[in-house]
Amino acid sequence: MAFSTRNKLAAIIAVAAMAGGLAAVTGGGSPAGAAPATSTVICDNGTVAPDGAIEYNLEARDGYIQEPDGNTVYAWSYTSVGQPLFQFPGPTMCIDEGATVRVVLTNPDHVDNLSGGIPAATTSILFPGQVGVTATGGVAGLLTQEVDSAVPGDSVTYEFVASAPGTYIYQSGTDQAVQVQMGMFGGLIIYPAVGRGFAYDGEPFDTTHEYLLLFHEMDPDLHTEVELASRNGLVGDAVLSNYHPLDRKSRYWTINGRSFPDVIAPNNAPTLPTQPYGGLVRVNADDPTDGFDQLPSLVRYGNAGLENHPFHPHGNTLRLIAQDGRPFPDEIEAYTKTVAAGQTFDLLASWEDVEAWQGNGAPTPINVPALDNLVFKGGASFYSGDPNLGQKQDLPATVTSYSVCGEYYFPWHSHALQEIVNYNEGFGGMLTLWRVDPPMEEVSPGVWQPTAACN
Amino acid sequence: MQPEPKPGIGRRDFLRRGAIATVVTGAGLAAGRSLMTPAGAAGGAGLPSAALFPPSNAVDFPTIASIRLMTTDGHISFPGRRHSSKPVYAFGFRAVDDSRLVADGGELNANPGDLMEKYRGHVMHSAPTLIAMEGVEFAIVVTNLGFRFRPDLDDSHTLHWHGFRNATAVFDGVPELSAAVPPGRDLPYFFDPKLPGAPGQPKGSAGGYMYHCHFEDVEHVQMGMSGIAFIEPRDMWFFPDGTPRAVRNKVAYNPTPAGIDTSFDREFALLANEIDYRPHDNLETLQLFTWSDYAPQYRTFNGRAYPDTVVPQITPAEQSASYQELLQMPAVPTTPDEEAEAEMLWQQNSSLVQAREGDRVLIRLSNLGYEIHSVEVVGVNDMRVVANDASLLVGKDGTNDLTYLSRRMEIGPGEARDAIFTAPAYVEARAEIDTLASRMGKQRKFCRYLIKSRNTHRLNNNGQIYPDGPSYAGAKGTYGGMVTELWVYPTLADAPGLGQDGLPDQITVNETFPTLVVPAGQV
Ligand SMILES: [Cu+2]
Ligand SMILES: [Cu+2]
């Protein structure tokens, strides 16, 4: 059905593309021009304290995030002390097994939008999955020590030894229905002692293709209530006096704090200054006959939201290797995995070029009809115009092509399809793409590189 | 009145001929009942040329196993929303009734324009169940017939085979990432279901999948464009050494070193789904719907809400081939049961599970709704879940048995499970007369069990339990929605008295006894 809003979709994609949102896809769109845009995980490695501990200094901050339908949403999150802009979600902590981790959380001593702390009486951080976490300072809360916002500069120090490699979430342990919903969460990765090229002992992956996808969903009504309270200087119970939890209705669904198509904008896209983390997944196709041992991409799911989300990649079945930072005894395959609230999974993603699709002639015994007889939705397409991987042909003259080099694109999305909308606009929300590039090429004996045209 | 058996098109005929060898060598021809298993060589020669299509839409019709799915709109029936009152507007896929090649007098590659008059406005929900064979390339030709009730809309459609391994972008059916089919056009989707590699290599393609339209997905999927697909394992049709089997080996997955038993006697595919009639109504009345308001009133198996789920499978006469037990649907229903059955003319996929005591029953469960469901077989405590998302639950190197026993299956949107259970006891003392069989002049008795969602607060039809539906639904007036029944019959050997006719062997998925047959042209 032709919603009036439908026409907006093309506009959103077009705008995202122009604004660098699709630079990863169109290539050359990034300000630097040459550097390939990426959305591989951005690691915050912390700083090394004199005693050898890995230290993170975080503040509970508020600010604004953008939705692709033009809406702006007030949100809270963790942000590194000294960072000019609030960021959503919090920084991704990357830690090596065995390290002592020290996280100092401070609530700034002032409450005003975009520069201060959150209008909550207290806040805190929980590290689910970590063993032996100590918390010192602040005031005693239900689940852990909490920062008291009535005490200027109050802080809590959390400390643990990173003992179990895997994918984790950190999140507020205070008034979670509000604070986690407002955005108080981030990702935490512990690499095994064998090195950062492994997800777990014995699970190597392609280190240039490591992705963290954090899921979350938002009811903008709650965010608006909290924003009004913030402006009025309210804290604590008074914040939500006009919002009833039973009225909660999610309208925006995000991956790494962004809704599609913003999700596929590259890391640190200038158009999304408070949402630095992209979610486009890439793999290099594996040609089993070419002699190059193509490792799989590693994808880390973390559901930081309050609801469960069935997450589904097109294109191939994935291999599940771990849950909640604990490896499975053996691999389980899935083409859809429901990720429960608070749950994490580690998955290996690969795509086999078993048919040698890259340019060895007609891959199919049937002919695709003339493209003029088909429809390209919104007058734009990620389709290369050619069924072969790594081959490109013209699309009809009226259609904009986002294809760089004949790579394949597949969606990767929540299959609760009402979650892949932005309020009511389709092809949005909790959706990303994965991009399959042609197999690596041997540029000189034993030296393998990605296909130059695709880089 | 029994329809004339049609030679060469049904899998049954094919099996009787024992001509298994032609399964893969025969050129493509869609078999009866929407099965895309290439059933026999008939018509293999003399494939039609593209000239049968107008030059502007010149599709070379695939020379491989093919099926044709048409997209259109229409109306479907739920308790409280009957065809006589206010049926629910829907979009959907449907197969041609006569899936022979045009040259053979069928409709497989007819000009789209020639199909419109007959089929436009005659939606099917859930969509036809697709069956493919591992290792056999096939094509699905999608033909967009346009809408009859909203001719102002020019929606395109696509076909997305959900979960297909190592898919190709062009045939993945995502309109933003490839192309879509506008009204009046065809697009063949090509699939190559891979055979399994060696242990440690990618698994084969066998297993349970689903398919749906991906154009305006949140709308078109909810509007009804969803169905079940599965791929039969190589081991079903061939011995490990490649020799064709004379008799179909009923297994869901290929053998592995772990020795997991996936053999079955009867197979049933259940598609869990929901209907929120508000967007359906809005579409019909040119209103908008805010999709984040989604809150369904009906939960369904195979596109029907209980008690409709137990109405037998409905098959067009052209596809019914030589079935032994056929209950022809009268043009004008005269009894309450016939009326209840006539309501399902556009929802032909039954969820009735019939088995003999002790049979191994395979349930292929998938979910194309937007909610997570928990499905249980009441009275069965040791159901073995053997596969997850078309992947046998075996470890990476094929030696670890990861299957598990359960009495329920939780299943999220887009997920699939294969589970096998042993049909529970037939207890003479509480057996009931199979009135469906009685209508055929047969004498059979069965014991009734329920297969249902455990999310019991959802087991109603728009908040009510409407009393309408067929008389043979046992829990009618108690439940609505995502409920169906398991009817357990005595084994043939000990069928006494009223059980004397026994339950026939099942040949294909979801086959019911009897099957209702729609005379040509009725829908
Ligand atoms: Cu999809
Ligand atoms: Cu799907």
Side-chain angles (χ1 to χ4, degrees):
Chain A
M1 173 188 182
F3 287 144
S4 59
T5 52
R6 279 185 188 180
N7 297 331
K8 278 193 200 166
L9 280 175
I12 289 169
I13 289 185
V15 166
M18 278 185 291
L22 292 182
V25 194
T26 54
S30 62
T38 177
S39 52
T40 51
V41 64
I42 297 180
C43 270
D44 184 335
N45 293 311
T47 55
V48 183
D51 64 355
I54 304 298
E55 204 165 274
Y56 294 89
N57 285 285
L58 301 181
E59 292 179 327
R61 290 271 295 269
D62 67 348
Y64 291 91
I65 59 172
Q66 297 170 35
E67 284 297 327
D69 61 356
N71 203 352
T72 296
V73 179
Y74 174 75
W76 299 350
S77 189
Y78 301 103
T79 300
S80 293
V81 171
Q83 182 171 308
L85 276 183
F86 154 89
Q87 79 165 69
F88 180 93
T92 302
M93 301 181 194
C94 295
I95 299 155
D96 297 302
E97 183 178 2
T100 297
V101 183
R102 183 177 300 136
V103 181
V104 183
L105 174 65
T106 310
N107 205 23
D109 59 359
H110 51 112
V111 175
D112 57 44
N113 296 325
L114 280 176
S115 61
I118 60 172
T122 58
T123 190
S124 61
I125 310 181
L126 289 183
F127 298 89
Q130 307 311 321
V131 186
V133 181
T134 62
T136 49
V139 295
L142 178 66
L143 300 174
T144 186
Q145 291 295 112
E146 300 180 332
V147 174
D148 186 350
S149 64
V151 180
D154 192 33
S155 70
V156 177
T157 299
Y158 304 94
E159 205 167 297
F160 58 91
V161 175
S163 56
T167 304
Y168 303 92
I169 292 166
Y170 65 91
Q171 62 192 31
S172 171
T174 307
D175 193 9
Q176 289 183 318
V178 172
Q179 297 199 359
V180 175
Q181 149 94 92
M182 288 300 291
M184 304 286 287
F185 64 89
L188 192 160
I189 295 169
I190 300 177
Y191 293 95
V194 289
R196 291 201 173 189
F198 293 80
Y200 294 88
D201 292 351
E203 289 287 3
F205 63 92
D206 178 350
T207 52
T208 62
H209 290 77
E210 178 186 3
Y211 304 92
L212 173 67
L213 304 179
L214 289 182
F215 310 132
H216 189 242
E217 71 289 311
M218 295 185 290
D219 178 354
D221 287 355
L222 178 139
H223 292 248
T224 301
E225 280 301 312
V226 174
E227 180 181 15
L228 290 173
S230 169
R231 290 204 173 130
N232 293 328
L234 302 178
V235 292
D237 291 345
V239 168
L240 283 186
S241 53
N242 290 319
Y243 180 89
H244 196 284
L246 288 183
D247 296 333
R248 184 178 193 281
K249 189 112 189 124
S250 296
R251 302 293 187 180
Y252 295 111
W253 291 267
T254 61
I255 298 172
N256 295 341
R258 300 175 178 179
S259 297
F260 191 86
D262 293 345
V263 178
I264 58 170
N267 284 336
N268 296 314
T271 48
L272 299 162
T274 59
Q275 294 147 280
Y277 298 152
L280 176 76
V281 175
R282 293 178 64 165
V283 304
N284 286 330
D286 180 22
D287 177 352
T289 65
D290 68 359
F292 178 73
D293 183 20
Q294 175 64 54
L295 291 173
S297 299
L298 174 65
V299 181
R300 304 171 181 274
Y301 290 170
N303 184 354
L306 308 179
E307 298 168 2
N308 306 334
H309 301 289
F311 212 57
H312 162 63
H314 290 216
N316 211 357
T317 302
L318 301 185
R319 292 146 62 199
L320 283 163
I321 57 171
Q323 170 184 228
D324 292 342
R326 302 292 183 267
F328 289 123
D330 206 333
E331 279 180 15
I332 299 167
E333 293 187 337
Y335 54 63
T336 307
K337 189 69 207 166
T338 298
V339 191
Q343 193 171 30
T344 73
F345 284 106
D346 296 310
L347 309 96
L348 299 175
S350 54
W351 197 92
E352 289 240 355
D353 190 27
V354 279
E355 320 243 12
W357 294 83
Q358 78 284 19
N360 285 358
T364 70
I366 63 174
N367 292 335
V368 179
L371 298 182
D372 290 327
N373 282 318
L374 300 174
V375 160
F376 292 90
K377 199 154 164 279
S381 182
F382 289 81
Y383 179 46
S384 68
D386 193 306
N388 292 286
L389 181 62
Q391 303 286 303
K392 247 184 105 169
Q393 287 181 41
D394 288 343
L395 296 180
T398 53
V399 181
T400 304
S401 172
Y402 296 132
S403 175
V404 177
C405 61
E407 71 279 21
Y408 284 175
Y409 291 96
F410 297 104
W412 197 326
H413 63 90
S414 168
H415 219 281
L417 297 180
Q418 85 282 9
E419 300 183 344
I420 57 169
V421 303
N422 297 324
Y423 217 117
N424 63 354
E425 291 179 351
F427 204 51
M430 192 174 284
L431 186 156
T432 186
L433 303 181
W434 62 313
R435 167 180 166 164
V436 177
D437 286 301
M440 300 275 275
E441 289 176 351
E442 192 170 25
V443 290
S444 60
V447 180
W448 295 82
Q449 284 183 0
T451 306
C454 294
N455 220 355
Chain B
M1 184 184 92
Q2 301 280 322
E4 285 292 308
K6 276 198 193 313
I9 67 160
R11 187 196 245 171
R12 281 168 184 255
D13 294 325
F14 178 62
L15 288 168
R16 290 201 181 99
R17 288 201 308 271
I20 303 293
T22 56
V23 166
V24 288
T25 58
L29 181 62
R33 301 194 64 181
S34 307
L35 307 182
M36 70 172 67
T37 304
L47 288 163
S49 72
L52 288 166
F53 293 83
S56 66
N57 192 25
V59 174
D60 287 336
F61 202 83
T63 56
I64 54 176
S66 307
I67 190 177
R68 183 172 203 160
L69 289 178
M70 302 171 293
T71 63
T72 187
D73 63 349
H75 292 86
I76 52 179
S77 169
F78 298 97
R81 296 292 300 266
R82 292 309 192 190
H83 285 297
S84 55
S85 49
K86 195 167 181 273
V88 174
Y89 186 51
F91 301 162
F93 293 102
R94 64 164 299 168
V96 290
D97 287 345
D98 187 345
S99 52
R100 292 172 298 160
L101 298 169
V102 162
D104 227 13
E107 300 174 317
L108 188 57
N109 60 335
N111 188 311
D114 294 339
L115 299 169
M116 281 188 189
E117 182 156 351
K118 178 176 175 187
Y119 291 109
R120 186 158 66 181
H122 293 170
V123 75
M124 289 292 166
H125 178 69
S126 56
T129 298
L130 306 180
I131 307 172
M133 292 176 64
E134 195 176 46
V136 178
E137 295 177 342
F138 62 94
I140 303 170
V141 179
V142 173
T143 302
N144 186 340
L145 298 183
F147 296 143
R148 175 177 168 195
F149 300 97
R150 283 294 306 273
D152 56 312
L153 296 180
D154 62 352
D155 282 32
S156 296
H157 298 290
T158 68
L159 181 143
H160 167 57
W161 184 299
H162 173 110
F164 199 86
R165 283 173 186 266
N166 238 60
T168 52
V170 63
F171 299 124
D172 190 44
V174 181
E176 295 84 356
L177 310 182
S178 54
V181 193
R185 305 284 192 207
D186 290 311
L187 175 60
Y189 288 80
F190 168 73
F191 297 94
D192 182 3
K194 293 292 180 200
L195 291 170
Q201 295 297 306
K203 291 180 182 174
S205 299
Y209 300 85
M210 56 211 93
Y211 71 102
H212 57 84
C213 175
H214 225 296
F215 192 93
E216 304 290 0
D217 37 45
V218 64
E219 175 182 291
H220 284 205
V221 173
Q222 167 56 205
M223 284 301 288
M225 304 189 76
S226 57
I228 290 170
F230 59 88
I231 297 175
E232 293 174 338
R234 179 83 166 171
D235 194 52
M236 182 180 277
W237 299 100
F238 293 90
F239 290 102
D241 66 1
T243 315
R245 294 180 183 274
V247 178
R248 179 176 176 241
N249 181 31
K250 291 186 173 184
V251 290
Y253 289 86
N254 291 306
T256 58
I260 297 164
D261 182 4
T262 65
S263 66
F264 60 87
D265 299 301
R266 294 168 191 275
E267 55 181 327
F268 299 89
L270 298 179
L271 180 66
N273 206 339
E274 310 109 29
I275 294 287
D276 182 340
Y277 61 70
R278 296 171 303 165
H280 298 250
D281 291 353
N282 286 4
L283 260 166
E284 192 163 29
T285 55
L286 290 78
Q287 305 296 304
L288 299 180
F289 183 70
T290 299
W291 282 99
S292 50
D293 281 336
Y294 180 76
Q297 304 85 15
Y298 295 93
R299 275 79 178 183
T300 61
F301 276 136
N302 292 344
R304 302 171 174 183
Y306 188 80
D308 298 338
T309 47
V310 299
V311 169
Q313 193 76 15
I314 300 174
T315 303
E318 293 281 6
Q319 291 184 20
S320 63
S322 53
Y323 286 8
Q324 290 297 295
E325 299 196 11
L326 298 170
L327 192 59
Q328 190 108 19
M329 297 188 77
V332 180
T334 54
T335 69
D337 278 356
E338 286 171 356
E339 283 176 22
E341 289 155 6
E343 289 289 337
M344 293 296 107
L345 279 188
W346 286 272
Q347 290 146 278
Q348 298 187 346
N349 290 320
S350 177
S351 301
L352 178 61
V353 176
Q354 292 165 295
R356 293 180 205 136
E357 178 178 4
D359 275 355
R360 283 172 64 85
V361 179
L362 168 66
I363 302 285
R364 303 174 185 272
L365 178 68
S366 51
N367 180 359
L368 278 176
Y370 305 162
E371 296 178 334
I372 299 167
H373 299 286
S374 174
V375 174
E376 61 181 0
V377 185
V378 181
V380 171
N381 295 313
D382 291 310
M383 178 163 67
R384 183 164 291 277
V385 181
V386 298
N388 180 71
D389 291 355
S391 182
L392 181 68
L393 281 164
V394 68
K396 183 159 60 172
D397 67 2
T399 58
N400 269 349
D401 181 347
L402 305 176
T403 65
Y404 55 91
L405 289 172
S406 178
R407 57 173 309 281
R408 36 164 288 287
M409 284 181 276
E410 77 277 17
I411 187 158
E415 295 180 350
R417 307 275 182 274
D418 292 304
I420 296 170
F421 65 85
T422 301
Y426 169 84
V427 182
E428 181 71 31
R430 64 177 189 85
E432 304 172 47
I433 294 170
D434 181 346
T435 56
L436 276 167
S438 304
R439 282 156 63 183
M440 307 280 311
K442 307 273 184 190
Q443 293 185 327
R444 285 203 289 263
K445 289 169 80 176
F446 65 85
C447 280
R448 196 187 302 266
Y449 296 81
L450 288 183
I451 300 174
K452 66 178 188 61
S453 164
R454 176 59 177 75
N455 308 114
T456 316
H457 60 301
R458 298 172 176 165
L459 296 190
N460 55 69
N461 293 320
N462 193 19
Q464 299 185 44
I465 308 298
Y466 291 92
D468 60 349
S471 65
Y472 43 84
K476 200 174 68 160
T478 306
Y479 290 119
M482 194 179 287
V483 180
T484 187
E485 298 183 3
L486 162 64
W487 295 359
V488 176
Y489 296 80
T491 59
L492 279 186
D494 59 17
L498 267 172
Q500 65 190 17
D501 283 321
L503 184 70
D505 287 336
Q506 191 197 40
I507 300 292
T508 190
V509 66
N510 282 2
E511 186 172 15
T512 56
F513 301 93
T515 287
L516 299 169
V517 173
V518 190
Q522 189 164 324
V523 293

